[in-house]
Amino acid sequence: MKAQIETNELLERLPPHLKQYIKPQDYDQYTPINQAVWRYVMRKNVDYLSKVAHESYVEGLKKTGISIDTIPSMYGMNRILKEIGWAAVAVDGFIPPNAFMEFQAYKVLVIASDIRQLENIEYTPAPDIIHEGAGHAPIIASPDYAEYLRRFGEIGAKAISSAHDMELYEAVRELSILKEAEGISDTMIQNAEKRVDALQHKKVEPSEIALIRNLHWWTVEYGLIGTPDKPKIYGAGLLSSIGESTWCMKDEVKKIPYSIDAAYQEFDITKPQPQLYVTPDFAYLQEVLEEFANTMAVRKGGWRGLKKLINSKQLGTIELSTGLQISGHFSRMIQNEDNEVVYFETNGPTALAYREKEVIGHGISRHTNGFGSPLGKLKKINLAIENMGPRDLQAYNFYDGKPISFEFESGITVEGLNVTGMRNLKGELMLIQFTNCTVTYKDEVLFSPEMGDFDMAVGKEIVAAFAGAADYLSFPISLHKLSETKTNQSKLSEKDQTLNELYNQVRSIRDDDEMVSEEKIKRLTSIFSIVEREFTKDWLLPLEIYELIATVETPISEKVLNHLLLLKKQRPKVAHLIDDGLSLIENNATQISN
């Protein structure tokens, strides 16, 4: 199958900084063993989850085009997701939390196209196509849940991160890649685990992205719905894990009514969860999300919001009371006695916007080296600058082309030649341009004529602060750095190639409806003799062989079954997986006979 990025209309709307994360699925990378892993997990999930998952799950498998027998293609998924107003893209493992959520805001599912190795069939910390495709995709067939996911992305994309968050993201990404890579030493994995553990337990004040990531984990990934006594599964992490979907229903796992408190409950991605949260319905998820959003800087603004941006050292935006939005890397603020921000400053490329559109002439080419401006009211003048009409401006000596000097209540003074002003749609002044201008605070010169024209942002206060740029087109893609840690594509050894070929032959036999039973038994007997001789530890291929001959009275059927029973004793860690496979085969045989 050709490696290409399949599309639908939703993907065309994605901004460039998100499109850079998309990669072709490259369907040919999936080996016959990968296909067998997918099939085993999906058969087990459908059998078990039909009893314990939210009713939307099984129906969603059909609506989203998820096949039980074969790994889905992006083309097939996009074709059917389009019918419910969503799309899907393949990416390279973990992507930054803000980017992940912004994709959701555009109603695009992010799918890591890699698939877990056979030894990690029950659970992997790495995002893979089982987790994303079989976990996230089916449940969005529920309109209420789909809207929650979209809204979560919309709010989460605005959450402000910290330097610690980015360090933890890179550490988790590295660990997930190492655990799924071939030929990695135990020492390397242990060192990566120690790094993740140390960062997870480091005492830092949780950022907005850390808190909303917790909400995401306890709902979208590990959520239960119903009542604590009779919960159903809807979280993708549980839906895609044949181990944890069983474990989570046990009494050992504490079931807690969902609330905003979940934002402050941390988690360990490498271990089963000791507690889970239960929402009464999907509508209640929205209530808690809005309650949390009310605590965020995007809604509260003020000095706390600006401080979060300064500490994050990431690209962010503040919005003033006039609607003017300033996007850049914030580096400084001056506060008055009441902690109100009376001056702010950015370093490096900065852009001004209004209603998420860059103000013409005020992009990063004009504000290359940063931007700073006083805020608040003028001294001894009750009327705020933004509310001054043309006559008010003249009354206070604001004349275009005339020199002016004025002082803010904070003590910041501005002296220069007034060039022109710019108003918003409400008619409020939001930007004033000065030349030959000097801005001072106490004994400090904040701006001098040698620095060029002075563009003063107008606003009484900061009403919002959030991550990212107001207008995503204001900044080049290069400012949105991709992780330098890449997933590994290992080359198969000669022995692995032989084993994959055997898996492929069994798959072909299963798919060939015209092959007579005698020929199937003959070929399967030949394949099993090689497995028994050369691949003594492999348990999934004997299961696939047994599935095809379980109902046939033949010596090879008994021989394969005895081999599987022996493997259970020799490999106790996979004994339950063999038992589950045998149970599926027995149930299927019973259904056929009935």
Side-chain angles (χ1 to χ4, degrees), residues 230-389:
K230 293 183 179 179
K232 294 282 188 178
I233 297 171
Y234 74 90
L238 297 174
L239 292 172
S240 61
S241 171
I242 56 180
E244 290 213 78
S245 60
T246 303
W247 163 254
C248 76
M249 288 297 170
K250 297 182 182 297
D251 292 337
E252 294 95 308
V253 180
K254 187 177 181 181
K255 315 297 191 303
I256 305 170
Y258 181 60
S259 71
I260 197 172
D261 293 342
Y264 303 92
Q265 176 60 58
E266 296 178 352
F267 59 88
D268 187 339
I269 194 172
T270 65
K271 299 175 183 176
Q273 307 308 313
Q275 75 282 309
L276 295 172
Y277 290 86
V278 188
T279 182
D281 49 46
F282 290 141
Y284 184 67
L285 295 178
Q286 291 263 30
E287 287 185 36
V288 174
L289 178 62
E290 292 300 327
E291 184 181 354
F292 179 79
N294 286 335
T295 70
M296 292 173 59
V298 70
R299 293 190 179 175
K300 296 185 77 71
W303 68 268
R304 290 183 178 87
L306 181 53
K307 184 180 179 181
K308 289 177 181 179
L309 286 179
I310 292 171
N311 291 341
S312 77
K313 297 180 171 59
Q314 306 288 321
L315 177 64
T317 298
I318 61 170
E319 182 174 327
L320 307 183
S321 50
T322 54
L324 183 67
Q325 298 165 317
I326 299 94
S327 301
H329 288 77
F330 290 86
S331 56
R332 182 189 182 189
M333 65 176 172
I334 298 174
Q335 296 169 260
N336 63 15
E337 295 174 353
D338 296 322
N339 278 332
E340 296 168 332
V341 178
V342 296
Y343 178 82
F344 69 87
E345 199 168 272
T346 66
N347 278 337
T350 303
L352 310 186
Y354 179 69
R355 294 191 172 183
E356 285 71 50
K357 295 295 181 183
E358 183 175 295
V359 176
I360 295 173
H362 287 278
I364 62 174
S365 59
R366 178 173 177 85
H367 306 292
T368 306
N369 300 315
F371 183 89
S373 179
L375 296 176
K377 291 184 177 181
L378 298 182
K379 194 171 185 179
K380 297 180 180 179
I381 298 177
N382 291 327
L383 190 63
I385 300 176
E386 60 208 71
N387 297 325
M388 291 182 181

Side-chain angles (χ1 to χ4, degrees), residues 17-18 86 96-110 136 140 144-160 209 212-213 215-216 219-220 285-286 289-290 292-293 296 298-299 466-467:
H17 69 274
L18 291 184
W86 281 70
N98 288 93
F100 181 86
M101 293 184 191
E102 195 173 355
F103 270 110
Q104 282 184 192
Y106 281 94
K107 302 179 78 172
V108 175
L109 285 178
V110 173
H136 284 295
I140 65 167
D144 283 346
Y145 182 74
E147 174 55 21
Y148 169 69
L149 201 62
R150 185 204 67 78
R151 183 65 174 153
F152 198 108
E154 195 171 52
I155 293 172
K158 301 293 187 184
I160 300 170
I209 200 69
I212 204 167
R213 186 176 60 222
L215 287 183
H216 192 271
T219 60
V220 176
L285 295 178
Q286 291 263 30
L289 178 62
E290 292 300 327
F292 179 79
M296 292 173 59
V298 70
R299 293 190 179 175
F466 54 88

